[in-house]
Amino acid sequence: MNAVKGLAGIRALVRLILRRDRIPLPIWVLLLAAVPAAFAATFAELYPTAAERQAFAEVAGNNPGLLALFGPVFDPSVGGLTAWRVSILLAVVALISVLTVVRHTRTEEEAGRRELVGSTVVGRHASLAAALLVTGAANLALAGLMALGLIVVQDLPVGGSLALGLAFAAAGCTSAAVAAVAAQLTQGAGAARGLAISVLGLAFLLRLAGDVGGEEGGTSWLSWLSPFGWAQQVRPFADERWWVLGLAAGAFVALAAVAYALSSRRDVGAGLLPPRDGPAVAPAYLRSPLALAWRLHRGLLLGWTAGFAAVGVMIGSVTGTVTEMFTDNPQLQAIFEQLGGQAGLADLYLSAVLSLLGLAAAGYAVQAVLWLRSEETAARAEPVLSAQVDRLRWAAGHLFFALVGPAVALTALGVAAGVVHGANTGDVRGELPRVLAGALAQLPAVWVLAGLATALFGLLPRLAPLSWAVLAVFALLTLFGEVLQLDRWLLDVSPFAHVPELPGGEVSTTPLVWLVVLAAALAAAGMVGLRRRDVG
Amino acid sequence: MREAISVSGLRKSFGRTQALDGLAFSVRAGEVHGFLGPNGAGKTTTIRILLGLLRRDAGEARLLGGDPWRDAVELHRRLAYVPGDVALWPNLSGGEVIDLLGRLRGGLDPRRRAELLERFELDPKKKCRAYSTGNRQKVALVSALASGADLLLLDEPTSGLDPLMKAVFRECVTEEQQRSRTVLLSSHILAEVEAVCDRVTTIRDGRTVESGTLAELRHLTRTSVSAELEAPPVGFSELEGVHDLQVEGTTVRCQVDPEGLDGVLRRLTTAGVRSLTSQPPTLEELFMRHYRTGEAAARSRAETPR
């Protein structure tokens, strides 16, 4: 009876969420549902015969970089290769699910809207349940449409297509439940997002570490600790293992139960930890827009730096074991010699992973720039700008962290990966600068994104969140552009296409200089716009 | 510099909405100036133009002898602003915000800060996330009042305060006046403006309705007279400047223009007065009259308290 009461009003809340998300929700579901069918078409065209596909699968299944990114190839059919290649999108589905759940739970509470809703005939658990319900339903819709696309358009086996769709839904739902728990623990929505995304990041790293050695690798059990690992172990188009979906379902139920238990124990608006008092007087340093920006951005900076350092340690250690493992394999020795031998292979792997992390760092840069916009829309810019503070000085405080923050995080990444990898190969002095350079080479492209977000913020503030869409397009171009055989000019639209592949690749400073110039020009345009426009 | 603020022909539109449509008024240095109007009249837009946050489409605006858009930063050294809807950084404490804003303005008096915290009964150690609307408003007020600013721009600063705190606020404004600081107090609470303001500007739909001292505004309006006479009243309807005449037996009620008062009083004493009440119009009445036209009437009735 209590359970039913707790869910009173859920119908209206579900409708409210659907109304508020009526544009983004269908877009991401449709967009992501279409990707596997597009890949299936490409694979069918690129590798029309079974022998060609077999050859491709062999190379892909033995390349540690590809293994780490996409996991093992379970079946060399068109469906199998598609499932393998799109597995990277599991992280995207997971991320969107987390953002959706937090947006409709903790964000509502923080903004005080939950209070208004809670005063009506709405049960204690209704808003949490409604958020999970909508996110879960969206994931199932994604599964259905994805399978439909593969079956109808590409004529792939029904079982495998369904399994792939459901694997995505499983990863999305599990992540949604992780977010539901995180939303109960912290008081701020930002902290809840950070916590849930950290958990997903860890899960992704576990999967990466588990898969990098291939199926027979000694660390393959690590994949089984990760929801991303489960989604892949469903093995669509390769004798589907449906029972693995049960693991995800179990995790979903368990996490949702924890979230419910926590939510019935706490006050609306409160986290699990009691709020602490702050100082009655501001510390001496807190006297400038830059100091305020440091105060607001330091958590983000610390989180990204720590996260990137952890990833660096992981990559560094993995790179070492990868190369050792493959030199033991005489059959593949010839291929590796072609690729540049042991060191060349390590470099290939490192540069591939670093370019991926460059995209992540760009996400940090965009996040930091858009902080300005949220300060403005939340009317927190007003008290600062009505003091003796120039607009540009106010904006510069935040932009400083958008530019320097990613630099610090990438440095931490490069140093951690370089030192650990260097220690493994016994050449820290040699490896550290090479890996660090590879990490820092991403920076100009990252700054272009920061510049773009600044330009939008200054000139077309309402469209500033579009920076995320642009970053998503660049990420898709980096990840899938070459496989989809897009034209060179289209690939070149992304600033990341101009970053030299370091370590190992050719060092060319000209494109980097141009990227920096472009970033500076964009940022300057944004500043000019900010000078001239209305604030608030 | 006699005028702290002077505005004329001010226009500002947001898309198709005309927020300000030729607004004009001026605030003299050292006075407390009430800025009255219903929600959506354009009070906040005006203040945000004066702060240089918004750019005016047309018209003149001078603030402390400078241009509010061009000289924003230098002017802000000499002013303090309290928004109506105070938004603060959730992870900073109230005390930190007070100090930060004070320092950004160019300093704040620690003795005055401590005194104001006590008078407003505000705990500066609480994180802004935990403050109620009223407490957030107190943070902004303490920071503004403890600064050495020449000009205070207060945009409905008491909307979240309880009556006790509203009284404290009025005391503070009176003190500021004694220190010969200039205050622009935007409000739709008439009692507040009546209690502390020297001069008042009323605005509606982005236009100035009236501007002047409280006495001048009264001068422009009618007095309501109610009298019980010894004999039934006769001849009142012929008098100049008498409106809304009601006669019941020996009782007479009417609204009288200032220039008609003399005639009315003569006629009353001729008939013999048993009791007489005459009331100067309260700002409430003034306000109601200004907005009781067309669609604005319904709005102001709904919004004016009591």
Side-chain angles (χ1 to χ4, degrees):
Chain A
M1 198 58 218
N2 267 340
V4 176
K5 258 194 210 158
L7 294 176
I10 188 169
R11 228 169 337 163
L13 289 181
V14 165
R15 275 204 292 260
L16 175 67
I17 295 176
L18 291 175
R19 166 67 183 74
R20 292 182 63 202
D21 283 1
R22 71 192 190 286
I23 294 172
L25 198 104
I27 288 180
W28 73 258
V29 168
L30 288 173
L31 207 65
L32 287 171
V35 173
F39 267 103
T42 311
F43 276 120
E45 199 190 310
L46 277 180
Y47 310 105
T49 67
E52 282 170 297
R53 288 194 296 270
Q54 181 65 43
F56 176 81
E58 210 130 304
V59 172
N62 288 310
N63 179 316
L66 292 176
L67 275 172
L69 283 184
F70 303 110
V73 184
F74 292 112
D75 190 69
S77 63
V78 169
L81 290 177
T82 302
W84 166 78
R85 197 57 163 77
V86 298
S87 66
I88 193 84
L89 286 180
L90 289 167
V92 178
V93 173
L95 189 68
I96 295 175
S97 299
V98 163
L99 296 178
T100 310
V101 168
V102 174
R103 173 170 142 82
H104 292 291
T105 53
R106 184 50 81 169
T107 307
E108 288 296 284
E109 261 181 74
E110 200 184 24
R113 289 188 289 262
R114 165 81 172 74
E115 211 168 270
L116 194 63
V117 170
S119 68
T120 61
V121 189
V122 159
R124 172 171 300 278
H125 299 306
S127 81
L128 176 60
L132 280 176
L133 200 67
V134 171
T135 313
N139 271 297
L140 287 176
L142 170 70
L145 288 170
M146 194 182 272
L148 205 65
L150 291 171
I151 297 164
V152 176
V153 184
Q154 298 302 327
D155 208 17
L156 290 179
V158 175
S161 304
L162 268 179
L164 183 62
L166 287 174
F168 269 85
C173 290
T174 315
S175 312
V178 169
V181 174
Q184 309 309 314
L185 295 176
T186 69
Q187 212 171 19
R193 273 193 294 271
L195 184 61
I197 292 173
S198 307
V199 171
L200 292 185
L202 186 70
F204 191 80
L205 285 178
L206 283 172
R207 212 266 312 138
L208 187 149
D211 288 343
V212 74
E215 276 180 89
E216 275 77 45
T219 55
S220 66
W221 59 275
L222 284 173
S223 298
W224 287 94
L225 299 178
S226 163
F228 299 121
W230 303 337
Q232 296 187 344
Q233 292 297 338
V234 172
R235 303 194 175 183
F237 305 103
D239 277 337
E240 295 82 11
R241 298 199 286 189
W242 300 98
W243 60 269
V244 182
L245 290 171
L247 277 180
F252 176 80
V253 170
L255 286 166
V258 170
Y260 279 79
L262 291 172
S263 108
S264 34
R265 236 161 263 203
R266 68 182 183 87
D267 298 337
V268 169
L272 214 61
L273 300 167
R276 275 179 306 171
D277 280 353
V281 180
Y285 78 84
L286 193 60
R287 56 186 323 114
S288 67
L290 183 65
L292 175 63
W294 157 248
R295 188 61 196 272
L296 299 174
H297 282 268
R298 67 185 180 189
L300 204 59
L301 176 63
L302 213 72
W304 276 95
T305 306
F308 265 41
V311 173
V313 170
M314 198 95 182
I315 293 167
S317 45
V318 167
T319 311
T321 55
V322 162
T323 50
E324 275 164 32
M325 192 167 61
F326 282 103
T327 45
D328 290 345
N329 189 331
Q331 282 168 335
L332 296 167
Q333 193 71 36
I335 301 175
F336 298 137
E337 293 305 331
Q338 261 182 340
L339 288 170
Q342 182 181 332
L345 199 66
D347 285 352
L348 265 184
Y349 171 68
L350 280 170
S351 71
V353 177
L354 288 176
S355 79
L356 211 65
L357 288 160
L359 287 166
Y364 172 24
V366 169
Q367 190 182 9
V369 173
L370 292 188
W371 199 305
L372 270 171
R373 178 64 183 155
S374 65
E375 285 287 290
E376 183 187 358
T377 51
R380 288 189 296 257
E382 217 172 273
V384 176
L385 291 176
S386 68
Q388 205 188 324
V389 172
D390 182 76
R391 285 177 185 199
L392 300 192
R393 212 171 131 225
W394 165 69
H398 290 268
L399 293 185
F400 177 80
F401 288 95
L403 299 180
V404 173
V408 172
L410 284 170
T411 305
L413 170 75
V415 169
V419 167
V420 175
H421 177 51
N424 282 346
T425 56
D427 182 19
V428 176
R429 266 197 180 174
E431 292 294 349
L432 176 57
R434 296 178 69 244
V435 179
L436 183 57
L440 290 178
Q442 308 295 326
L443 208 47
V446 170
W447 283 344
V448 169
L449 262 300
L452 180 79
T454 310
L456 283 173
F457 166 71
L459 297 166
L460 302 162
R462 270 161 217 269
L463 299 184
L466 270 187
S467 321
W468 287 117
V470 176
L471 175 58
V473 169
F474 290 167
L476 288 175
L477 285 177
T478 303
L479 286 171
F480 304 123
E482 301 206 0
V483 178
L484 291 176
Q485 293 185 300
L486 298 176
D487 286 339
R488 190 68 232 172
W489 68 266
L490 191 58
L491 294 176
D492 280 346
V493 168
S494 165
F496 292 94
H498 306 282
V499 172
E501 285 167 17
L502 295 175
E506 221 173 293
V507 188
S508 45
T509 45
T510 323
L512 294 183
V513 170
W514 277 112
L515 289 176
V516 171
V517 169
L518 178 63
L522 284 166
M527 290 292 100
V528 170
L530 176 63
R531 255 214 134 104
R532 305 179 58 84
R533 72 174 174 88
D534 291 346
V535 169
Chain B
M1 180 202 58
R2 290 290 302 129
E3 290 188 336
I5 298 172
S6 78
V7 160
S8 64
L10 201 60
R11 280 167 195 281
K12 177 76 192 175
S13 61
F14 301 103
R16 278 179 297 171
T17 319
Q18 189 74 35
L20 295 181
D21 190 11
L23 186 79
F25 74 100
S26 64
V27 177
R28 294 174 193 155
E31 76 177 2
V32 177
H33 194 101
F35 196 42
L36 278 171
N39 295 339
K43 301 188 297 289
T44 301
T45 303
T46 308
I47 290 183
R48 306 185 90 227
I49 287 177
L50 291 175
L51 284 169
L53 293 170
L54 302 183
R55 190 173 199 163
R56 58 185 186 268
D57 295 340
E60 277 303 308
R62 303 289 291 171
L63 182 80
L64 299 171
D67 180 309
W69 175 266
R70 207 189 52 227
D71 312 322
V73 178
E74 300 89 87
L75 292 175
H76 291 174
R77 188 200 303 268
R78 294 158 60 199
L79 67 81
Y81 163 61
V82 177
D85 190 4
V86 183
L88 302 171
W89 301 274
N91 53 343
L92 266 65
S93 73
E96 286 181 302
V97 172
I98 291 172
D99 289 343
L100 170 71
L101 293 179
R103 288 167 187 172
L104 289 178
R105 277 188 204 112
L108 111 177
D109 177 358
R111 283 234 312 278
R112 181 103 171 111
R113 176 190 188 272
E115 179 210 325
L116 285 164
L117 281 178
E118 194 157 318
R119 283 166 75 180
F120 278 110
E121 296 171 18
L122 179 69
D123 179 358
K125 291 203 286 285
K126 285 266 172 304
K127 292 281 175 79
C128 291
R129 174 182 286 126
Y131 282 136
S132 64
T133 312
N135 280 335
R136 285 202 305 273
Q137 218 149 26
K138 288 179 191 175
V139 168
L141 274 171
V142 169
S143 178
L145 292 170
S147 74
D150 301 333
L151 171 65
L152 295 174
L153 295 177
L154 311 177
D155 188 5
E156 300 190 8
T158 62
S159 49
L161 301 184
D162 62 38
L164 228 59
M165 288 302 142
K166 283 184 180 160
V168 172
F169 168 76
R170 282 176 204 171
E171 283 169 32
C172 290
V173 171
T174 311
E175 287 166 24
E176 295 302 317
Q177 194 177 16
Q178 281 155 9
R179 291 169 206 216
S180 64
R181 288 192 185 146
T182 314
V183 180
L184 178 67
L185 173 63
S186 137
S187 180
H188 55 242
I189 304 166
L190 297 143
E192 188 171 274
V193 170
E194 207 168 12
V196 298
C197 292
D198 306 311
R199 294 206 313 142
V200 175
T201 295
T202 52
I203 77 166
R204 182 190 67 200
D205 296 337
R207 272 183 287 245
T208 310
V209 176
E210 235 163 356
S211 195
T213 62
L214 286 175
E216 280 166 352
L217 291 197
R218 282 205 184 89
H219 179 75
L220 291 172
T221 57
R222 300 164 188 166
T223 305
S224 65
V225 172
S226 168
E228 213 188 321
L229 306 178
E230 292 183 344
V234 281
F236 277 87
S237 54
E238 298 146 23
L239 289 171
E240 289 275 317
V242 172
H243 308 269
D244 303 334
L245 181 69
Q246 290 177 334
V247 178
E248 275 175 48
T250 56
T251 306
V252 62
R253 286 197 188 84
C254 59
Q255 307 280 324
V256 188
D257 286 336
E259 55 273 21
L261 270 174
D262 198 45
V264 169
L265 285 174
R266 278 174 208 282
R267 189 61 61 95
L268 286 173
T269 46
T270 319
V273 180
R274 262 192 210 143
S275 77
L276 171 72
T277 50
S278 82
Q279 288 173 323
T282 60
L283 263 176
E284 249 83 9
E285 282 173 321
L286 272 183
F287 204 42
M288 295 289 278
R289 195 167 301 157
H290 290 320
Y291 302 116
R292 191 166 289 177
T293 49
E295 54 173 4
R299 221 175 1 171
S300 77
R301 262 197 300 278
E303 279 166 13
T304 308
R306 278 149 306 206

